[in-house]
Amino acid sequence: MTKGTTQGGKPAAGRRRFMATAAVGGVAAAGTLAAPQVSRAQTVTWRFQSTWPQRDIFHEFAQDYVTRVNTIAGGRLRLELLAAGAVVGAFQLIDAVSSGTLDGGHGVSAYWFGKNKAFSLFGTAPPWFGDANQFLGWFYYGGGEALYNELIGDILKVNVVGFQTGPMPTQPLGWFKNPIERAEQIRGLKYRTVGLAADLFNELGAAVVSLPGGEIVPALERGVIDGAEFNNPSSDRVLGFPDVAKVYMIQSFHQRTETFEVLFNKQKYDALPAELKGVLRHASEAASADMSWKQQDRYSKDLNEMAQTQGVRVMTTPRPVLEAQLRAWDAVIQKLEADTSSPAAGAFFKKVCDSQRAWCRRVQTFYLRYDASSVLSFNHFFARG
């Protein structure tokens, strides 16, 4: 007789019980393996401040990012959006995030220009990129992100993690009492801008004043400045520029491309599980795409409204002024690449510029050769009498 069987060849009772127990256990184990391993931790809420006034479309773009994070995170992580000044001023955001006073924030790299001028290369680079989407291509696929991390982590040792997001169109030359028809008119002009554009306009002879968005219109109204740029028709309209100036000069090379920056405190970010880190990164990509579509609708409508209902004269910057800007860029770049004030000054600035130039030569060559002229097709369909 075989061990574990009765004389009739049937399994012994003990074996039957063992097999039944094993079968049940196996089903339970299979069910356990099949179930997703989801943490049931309590919701973590982070304070996330923008550098924009609450009424500005830029704050709305920040909210679009926050909404995506809060939706995708499924209750495990929640960002609480605050407007500029709620905790710190716009230009103090990166320090507040680095210290942990804020958990994160939404701004632009040019605002940290005072820490290292190379910061402005990440978002407001010289006008060698065809558009801001090409800048994002360089950042994520051309080595830009590694250089950005070298700047914030190794050179400045700022305790933040950052993503670039949200491609902006070319920024206007700005708002003035009278048209800018010649480059000589810029000399002595008290003009608001930020980042490398400040060096550019200094080279052109302007007296540059750097102000956050919410302070520009009051300064223009009081005569503290003679002219100013901020960014786009929707922001400019809601911030009140048409109430204090009527000449709106569009097209410029001072900020040909720019993108937003999303920042988080590095220690808090590093402590997150991988899936929540992924949520923060991929939500910035999704919000970036959505912003590029939304701005097409809003910017075009607001430019038309200012011209048609608010008496704004929308004028194209004359070519001689644009050419003067390009010559000034040559001088600014040469000066900053040769800066020997510190080991992390000119050498790193040139390292980033070299990387950008290599990308733009290849990518811009491709698009200039590959794309048919949109001007030709537009004129064919829409410019006929």
Side-chain angles (χ1 to χ4, degrees):
M1 184 170 64
T2 304
K3 185 178 180 182
T5 63
T6 62
Q7 288 183 339
K10 297 178 181 179
R15 181 170 172 78
R16 286 198 301 270
R17 285 194 300 270
F18 171 78
M19 291 176 67
T21 303
V24 172
V27 170
T32 302
L33 290 172
Q37 298 299 303
V38 179
S39 170
R40 302 300 179 188
Q42 200 170 20
T43 299
V44 174
T45 300
W46 283 3
R47 292 198 302 172
F48 185 86
Q49 183 186 297
S50 85
T51 53
W52 321 115
Q54 189 152 4
R55 64 189 185 279
D56 185 8
I57 194 173
F58 280 6
H59 190 71
E60 183 179 332
F61 291 147
Q63 180 63 67
D64 291 340
Y65 171 70
V66 165
T67 298
R68 280 163 175 76
V69 170
N70 293 348
T71 300
I72 301 169
R76 297 181 60 195
L77 174 65
R78 180 180 177 275
L79 301 184
E80 177 190 359
L81 180 63
L82 306 168
V87 177
V88 295
F91 289 170
Q92 286 74 52
L93 178 73
I94 193 170
D95 291 328
V97 174
S98 181
S99 67
T101 301
L102 286 164
D103 302 308
H106 185 280
V108 289
S109 293
Y111 275 7
W112 330 131
F113 176 71
K115 292 183 177 296
N116 187 303
K117 292 194 175 185
F119 248 129
S120 194
L121 294 172
F122 299 97
T124 55
W128 38 50
F129 289 98
D131 58 31
N133 202 45
Q134 288 181 23
F135 165 81
L136 288 173
W138 166 78
F139 187 81
Y140 287 110
Y141 288 93
E145 188 172 20
L147 290 167
Y148 173 81
N149 289 335
E150 181 180 348
L151 175 63
I152 62 177
D154 299 338
I155 295 175
L156 296 177
K157 303 188 187 306
V158 184
N159 187 38
V160 298
V161 171
F163 309 121
Q164 294 291 326
T165 178
M168 305 178 198
T170 295
Q171 296 183 34
L173 185 66
W175 294 86
F176 305 91
K177 303 291 185 182
N178 299 297
I180 301 297
E181 297 171 337
R182 304 178 312 279
E184 292 75 22
Q185 290 176 266
I186 297 174
R187 187 164 299 280
L189 195 75
K190 292 177 290 185
Y191 180 80
R192 181 272 175 193
T193 191
V194 295
L196 283 175
D199 282 30
L200 179 77
F201 275 93
N202 281 330
E203 184 69 27
L204 289 166
V208 176
V209 180
S210 292
L211 297 169
E215 299 178 20
I216 305 171
V217 169
L220 194 59
E221 186 174 28
R222 297 195 311 269
V224 175
I225 53 178
D226 304 313
E229 60 79 32
F230 181 58
N231 188 277
N232 66 83
S234 296
S235 293
D236 291 353
R237 187 180 181 207
V238 76
L239 292 175
F241 280 91
D243 298 329
V244 298
K246 294 299 182 184
V247 175
Y248 191 37
M249 307 289 298
I250 59 173
Q251 299 185 13
S252 180
F253 283 127
H254 77 284
Q255 287 180 308
R256 177 73 174 86
T257 60
E258 188 170 19
T259 58
F260 290 115
E261 177 186 58
V262 172
L263 294 173
F264 292 101
N265 177 272
K266 189 176 189 304
Q267 290 174 326
K268 293 182 178 179
Y269 176 86
D270 287 344
L272 290 175
E275 61 268 28
L276 289 183
K277 290 178 183 175
V279 166
L280 296 178
R281 173 179 283 268
H282 298 313
S284 76
E285 296 166 352
S288 184
D290 181 69
M291 177 196 144
S292 71
W293 308 325
K294 179 187 282 191
Q295 71 185 13
Q296 295 174 38
D297 177 49
R298 299 279 287 279
Y299 291 3
S300 60
K301 286 179 180 175
D302 282 318
L303 183 63
N304 288 342
E305 283 295 314
M306 288 192 296
Q308 294 167 9
T309 69
Q310 295 182 272
V312 172
R313 295 173 62 194
V314 181
M315 306 180 67
T316 302
T317 301
R319 180 166 177 161
V321 176
L322 297 175
E323 291 173 340
Q325 287 182 326
L326 292 176
R327 291 191 296 271
W329 267 119
D330 288 338
V332 168
I333 294 165
Q334 183 178 10
K335 187 182 303 180
L336 292 176
E337 287 185 334
D339 183 7
T340 58
S341 61
S342 74
F348 182 76
F349 192 93
K350 186 176 186 304
K351 181 179 179 180
V352 178
C353 286
D354 285 345
S355 176
Q356 292 183 343
R357 282 186 287 243
W359 176 267
C360 291
R361 284 191 189 99
R362 175 165 59 86
V363 174
Q364 269 288 78
T365 297
F366 171 80
Y367 283 106
L368 290 172
R369 293 176 63 193
Y370 209 77
D371 285 347
S373 170
S374 60
V375 174
L376 182 64
S377 59
F378 180 90
N379 286 341
H380 174 81
F381 290 109
F382 304 113
R384 290 178 294 187

